[in-house]
Structures are given as structure tokens and as C-alpha cells.
Amino acid sequence: MDSVQMISHIEKALTYSIYDVKWIPCTAKFVVIGSKPKGTGALQIYELNRGTLELVKDAEQNKSLKCCSFGASKLRTEHLAVGDFAGKLAVYDLERLDAPIYEVSAHEGIINSLDAIGGSTVNCGAPEIVTGGRDGSVKVWDPRQPDEPVAHISPASMEPSERRDCWAVGFGDTYNALERVVCSGYDNGDLKLVDLRNLKLRWETNVKNGICSLEFDRKDIRMNKLAVTTLEGGLYVYDMRTQHSQKGFASVRERTVGQALGTNGVISGAKSTVWTVKHLPQNRDIFITGGGSGNVRIWLYHYPDKRSKSLTDGEEQGVAGTLEMLHATTLSTQPVHTFDWSPDRLGLAVCGAFDQTVRVLISTNLNLH
């Protein structure tokens, strides 16, 4: 049997709403953050121990916590960047959770999304954290520099009616110490790619539905692929190697990604949001999507024979590849909205759903693709 299988290894019901989960690098532990019923924030660390989950640390914060990342942390320091419902960005040392080592009021209102880079990768620039908020702005922070963002991307108008809610952000193209881009997705379907070196808008498009999640297949290489998921079951994978001056980047689209698959493999049910997309750290062409019907699907991207073609005017245009679904499974009756692959163990993952349950997952045969 060479087929990929994903099984739920451990399930643990929690007493709060889960908003994000992340593996702690080089350990068998992961962090769960969320919101308690009384509006305070939950931050817990669990460790895998012989088929069970042990609670290692439990800390309560003043405000509900929404998103987190270890991307700007060195491997051995375990510094977690966290965004909360009050618009505050904080960096915590997991050894001392009582007070943050960095804190700043980043946004007016909730921080919807957060990404970080530069902590453990050599020759990819400074450690930075990007946040996207309900106030419509995207800000890039250097944890070594207090108070002020190093870049601030927002609409010119201050009118709340003209500011779109930023739902997803991600770093990419950090292949040396100078280059870096940030990609942001908004509730009206706008997708913007900003070059941080020149502080210029490099590309923008609209996918006609709110963008829930986006991720480059690798942050620390030249832009290769960008996966974007939307409301109503949309999945787009852009080939980011070749940009055409008018047509932008080539993409492949799947339409019914959020819906449930029946036992016979037939897609059924209403259109459903695709909440998250995460690329496998050990293979950039394999990624998962988490759907609103509680399903998780594993996808494999196949490159075309030629990744670009010359048009009659001599300009190069990208050619999109194809998507193959390797596996689909339904884990919950509620949306699987947060997911993280283990960076150290192929096929090991953790996910959170709106049924207040955290699940440790094992995927087999991923090494065969």
C-alpha cells in the first residue's frame, strides 16, 4: 500500500476555544493558544508521552489570544510571538511566561494573522514579525526595535468603511539577507504582494472571495509557489517564478475543497470555507487544507513540463501545474481551522477545531511522493 493515510493518534478535549497550534522546534511539545469563556487568553504547552498528552505549562493572559509563531525565534530559545484580540503583539519566552520579553500595541482591534521569519535560518535577513489586523493595516516588526514598526502597509484613507479586514499574512522570497516580500489577503478577496526591500506593491489581484489563509511553500528561497484559500471552498496555487506585466502570476484553482467527502469519495454538502493551508516542511510540493466541514485533505502539486512560455511579444508568462488529492479524511463535525506539521518528524502534525478539541495526527507514506 503506497497510498497516503492520515489517522488521529491522540484527541484531547479542552475547556476553551482553540485559535492556533504550533510545534515547538526540536521537541515533542506543542503550544495551544485560544480564548476562555470569560474573555481571557489561554496558553498551554503539551508534550507527547507514550500515546498520551501531558500538560507541561498552563498560563492565562489578560486578553484572548488569536495567532502565534516561532519563526523569529532561534532554535534553542523558544520565543513565541503572539497576537491577541486587543491588538497587542507580544513575544514570550516559554521558560518564563509571566511577562513578555517584547510587547507593542500593534493594531486597533484584533490581530487576525501573524507570521515570523529570520530566527533559525542562516543568511535570510533580520528576525521580523508581520501582523495583519481588523483595522486593515499590515505591519512588520523587528523584535529588537521597540514601539515602531519597520514597515506599515495600509490604505491611504482613514475611513473605517474603506478599510478592508486583513485576514491572512505571510513572508516569502527571503533567499538572502536583503530580499523579502510580504503577502496579505483581505476579506473582499484582495491579494497583495509587497516588496519590503523597495517598499513597493509588486502585484495585486482579487480572487472574489474572502482570503482565509495563505502560505509560500518555502519562505527562505526564491518565490516558488503561493497557496491561497478562501471562503466557499476556493483553493488557488500560484506559480511565483514568472510574473507577466499584465497577467501577473499563473495559477491553478480547485473549487470544492472545503466540502466533506462521503465514504465513497463523493463530494457532498454546501460550499464550505477552507480555513487553513500548510505546506509539509520536508516536501514543499505536499500541503494540507483544513475545511469548514471538519475535513483535512492532503494535496500534491505536479509541475508542468515547462514552467514558463514565451508569448508573441517576447514576454515570458508562467504556466501553472496541476493538483492531485492524495488523501481526505473527516476529523471533526466542526471546522479544522488551525494546523501545524512537525518540523522534525515527517508526517506528525497537530490540529485544532472549533469543537474545542486538539488532535495529534500521523500521516503515512508521505516519503513516497
Side-chain angles (χ1 to χ4, degrees):
M1 285 291 286
D2 292 346
S3 63
V4 173
Q5 298 288 328
M6 177 180 277
I7 58 169
S8 183
H9 175 50
I10 306 170
E11 299 191 5
K12 188 170 184 67
L14 305 179
T15 57
Y16 57 88
S17 299
I18 302 164
Y19 281 115
D20 209 353
V21 290
K22 286 287 185 293
W23 286 101
I24 303 174
C26 305
T27 69
K29 303 175 190 171
F30 60 85
V31 173
V32 187
I33 65 166
S35 172
K36 295 196 172 182
K38 57 186 177 181
T40 56
L43 194 160
Q44 293 184 324
I45 301 174
Y46 286 93
E47 184 170 21
L48 271 65
N49 187 4
R50 302 194 178 194
T52 62
L53 284 181
E54 284 186 4
L55 179 62
V56 179
K57 279 191 179 172
D58 188 357
E60 190 169 340
Q61 307 297 331
N62 294 330
K63 296 289 182 182
S64 301
L65 305 178
K66 181 68 170 70
C67 45
C68 65
S69 174
F70 284 104
S73 165
K74 290 184 169 59
L75 278 179
R76 297 296 179 188
T77 51
E78 297 182 0
H79 290 172
L80 180 70
V82 181
D84 71 11
F85 275 53
K88 187 179 73 178
L89 169 66
V91 178
Y92 289 95
D93 185 340
L94 295 188
E95 297 298 319
R96 297 182 296 276
L97 287 171
D98 49 343
I101 57 175
Y102 174 83
E103 191 174 35
V104 65
S105 292
H107 293 270
E108 298 169 20
I110 187 172
I111 296 178
N112 287 320
S113 179
L114 176 154
D115 193 21
I117 195 171
S120 58
T121 311
V122 180
N123 294 332
C124 81
E128 286 181 337
I129 303 163
V130 61
T131 56
R134 183 174 286 175
D135 58 6
S137 61
V138 174
K139 298 180 182 179
V140 180
W141 307 88
D142 188 329
R144 304 166 303 179
Q145 175 181 317
D147 302 332
E148 291 298 318
V150 293
H152 183 179
I153 305 152
S154 66
S157 170
M158 295 301 291
E159 288 292 321
S161 59
E162 295 181 28
R163 287 179 164 242
R164 306 306 312 198
D165 201 335
C166 179
W167 280 355
V169 290
F171 280 122
D173 204 32
T174 310
Y175 59 89
N176 63 26
L178 299 174
E179 299 290 338
R180 187 167 289 174
V181 301
V182 63
C183 194
S184 53
Y186 298 83
D187 64 346
N188 63 340
D190 280 348
L191 181 66
K192 297 180 188 292
L193 185 72
V194 174
D195 187 334
L196 290 179
R197 184 179 182 182
N198 304 315
L199 274 182
K200 276 188 177 177
L201 182 68
R202 186 162 165 182
W203 171 68
E204 64 178 333
T205 187
N206 188 287
V207 295
K208 299 184 173 61
N209 247 323
I211 294 172
C212 301
S213 176
L214 58 86
E215 188 183 51
F216 287 94
D217 58 353
R218 289 287 182 272
K219 300 176 193 177
D220 54 357
I221 61 171
R222 286 182 186 271
M223 286 192 299
N224 186 51
K225 298 195 306 296
L226 172 69
V228 176
T229 67
T230 71
L231 303 174
E232 298 191 350
L235 166 65
Y236 300 79
V237 180
Y238 291 88
D239 187 304
M240 305 296 286
R241 279 291 159 94
T242 310
Q243 182 177 4
H244 187 271
S245 56
Q246 261 76 45
K247 299 178 182 177
F249 297 100
S251 67
V252 57
R253 179 185 180 190
E254 287 279 337
R255 295 172 188 269
T256 56
V257 177
Q259 290 165 280
L261 263 75
T263 51
N264 55 357
V266 176
I267 296 172
S268 61
K271 286 183 179 178
S272 189
T273 297
V274 190
W275 284 87
T276 186
V277 57
K278 277 286 184 292
H279 290 85
L280 186 66
Q282 295 84 1
N283 183 347
R284 68 185 183 193
D285 300 326
I286 294 177
F287 61 92
I288 68 96
T289 54
S293 55
N295 70 307
V296 170
R297 299 195 196 183
I298 303 177
W299 300 87
L300 174 63
Y301 183 88
H302 293 283
Y303 293 101
D305 293 335
K306 286 189 174 180
R307 293 186 64 178
S308 65
K309 61 183 179 183
S310 296
L311 303 182
T312 50
D313 59 0
E315 192 173 358
E316 291 284 310
Q317 182 185 354
V319 178
T322 55
L323 287 172
E324 176 192 355
M325 188 171 68
L326 298 178
H327 179 67
T329 184
T330 300
L331 298 172
S332 170
T333 56
Q334 300 296 319
V336 176
H337 65 285
T338 177
F339 187 103
D340 196 38
W341 292 107
S342 168
D344 308 301
R345 181 69 66 179
L346 177 66
L348 182 63
V350 60
C351 73
F354 284 136
D355 59 1
Q356 297 191 355
T357 302
V358 65
R359 294 171 172 85
V360 176
L361 312 170
I362 295 173
S363 303
T364 62
N365 292 336
L366 289 174
N367 59 314
L368 302 177
H369 294 277

